[in-house]
Amino acid sequence: MTRDIALLTNPAAGRGHAHRVQDEVVVRLRAAGHEVTVLAGADEQESVDLARKAVADGVDTLVALGGDGMLHQAVQAVAGTSTRLGVVPLGTGNDFARSLGIPREDPLGAADVVARGAGRRIDLARTGERWFATVMAAGFDAAVNERANAMRWPHGDLRYTLATLSVLPRWSAVPYTLALDGVERRVDAMLLAVANTDSYGGGLQIPAGALPDDGLLDVIIIKPTSKLEFLKVFPQVRTGQHVNHPAFERVRVRSVTVAAPNVIAYADGERLGALPLTVECVAGAVEVLV
């Protein structure tokens, strides 16, 4: 069945190889019988505007070609609509694709996933008018994200590991005030994340076990511990084994308000802004091709 596909691209993705990959993906999708239009904004806002117009015009599928930042832009357009979301990963982390089993190092394989059109309806998170698909980092993890974004080298997962080692020596526990489904709680934490999926930061499974289709958000709290103990446990976040550590806590909620002094939150690797922020889970907000 022929489908109308809009391909939202980022010319800087894939370390400058996006144009070549874009052309190959377009050829692959058209060979599968689909109509393809390429959308390439000059900046983030123009990309979102182009994507929203395509959705308003009734496009069947919006495909994000790039990293989790490009995915974040696409999500702003498709959330709560009947337009399906496809992903062709080309970024540094590609955690959304990782969580949903979409090929991360094979763009044409990911294009084939889009072409086959097997849909899975998942939840999205919303804070104000902003949507996100993966995880909101609101502590040490956000500081690592900011540091990683400023690094030109290395590429891939190692960037986040080096950023972690750079930030940790000067980090201390943050006093948080949380409202968990309306129940207030105060807690000091090294790290606090609000997760829809089970991976962020280039494969860090800090929210291991989070499900994107359970109608809930996983609030992950890492309680204060020594830096030496943190470094000892940190390698376990690649496998999810850290969830057995006594400093780890998970609370599943439909909505959460997170407040703390001098903390900037990130989601899908993109800057959201300063706390406090209220995040709610919107169940089944988008259908993803997987």
Side-chain angles (χ1 to χ4, degrees):
M1 180 181 70
T2 299
R3 286 186 286 118
D4 185 13
I5 296 174
L7 185 65
L8 186 65
T9 72
N10 174 7
R15 301 195 287 278
H17 301 308
H19 282 301
R20 175 183 58 79
V21 174
Q22 168 193 305
D23 292 344
E24 293 174 351
V25 167
V26 169
V27 168
R28 182 66 65 98
L29 293 175
R30 287 176 176 164
H34 304 301
E35 300 290 336
V36 183
T37 302
V38 175
L39 308 177
D43 53 32
E44 178 179 349
Q45 188 56 57
E46 186 177 1
S47 293
V48 173
D49 290 344
L50 289 170
R52 284 177 169 154
K53 183 178 186 306
V55 170
D57 289 344
V59 70
D60 177 84
T61 303
L62 179 67
V63 178
L65 188 149
D68 286 334
M70 180 57 69
L71 164 80
H72 186 77
Q73 296 172 29
V75 163
Q76 309 314 307
V78 300
T81 75
S82 61
T83 298
R84 296 191 291 181
L85 175 65
V87 181
V88 177
L90 281 183
T92 299
N94 299 323
D95 285 288
F96 184 75
R98 186 192 312 267
S99 293
L100 294 182
I102 297 168
R104 294 181 294 111
E105 298 180 359
D106 180 7
L108 294 183
D112 289 339
V113 171
V114 172
R116 287 195 298 268
R120 177 183 177 186
R121 188 156 287 280
I122 68 166
D123 311 330
L124 292 175
R126 179 171 62 194
T127 175
E129 299 299 316
R130 194 89 166 262
W131 298 80
F132 65 88
T134 58
V135 180
M136 184 181 86
F140 175 78
D141 43 0
V144 169
N145 200 133
E146 194 157 58
R147 173 64 181 138
N149 285 349
M151 296 169 65
R152 295 184 179 274
W153 182 93
H155 299 289
D157 297 350
L158 182 59
R159 174 182 296 184
Y160 293 97
T161 298
L162 293 182
T164 295
L165 297 176
S166 172
V167 172
L168 181 61
R170 61 181 183 275
W171 191 259
S172 58
V174 173
Y176 291 93
T177 301
L178 308 176
L180 302 160
D181 282 340
V183 178
E184 186 168 306
R185 177 181 172 188
R186 298 179 188 274
V187 61
D188 290 344
M190 289 283 289
L191 178 151
L192 191 137
V194 179
N196 184 49
T197 59
D198 63 359
S199 169
Y200 68 122
L204 303 181
Q205 296 185 48
I206 292 170
L211 300 173
D213 55 4
D214 61 356
L216 297 170
L217 300 168
D218 286 35
V219 180
I220 305 300
I221 301 166
I222 306 296
K223 298 168 188 173
T225 186
S226 71
K227 291 181 173 65
L228 181 61
E229 180 68 9
F230 190 93
L231 285 172
K232 177 182 174 182
V233 174
F234 178 72
Q236 298 179 7
V237 302
R238 291 284 177 190
T239 62
Q241 293 176 318
H242 67 290
V243 300
N244 298 314
H245 193 278
F248 178 91
E249 182 181 356
R250 181 200 314 271
V251 184
R252 289 191 166 108
V253 297
R254 289 182 173 82
S255 69
V256 57
T257 298
V258 183
N262 306 314
V263 174
I264 303 297
Y266 279 72
D268 299 337
E270 298 296 298
R271 200 175 198 268
L272 283 185
L275 300 181
L277 291 170
T278 296
V279 185
E280 64 173 322
C281 180
V282 181
V286 67
E287 184 179 359
V288 184
L289 298 173
V290 298

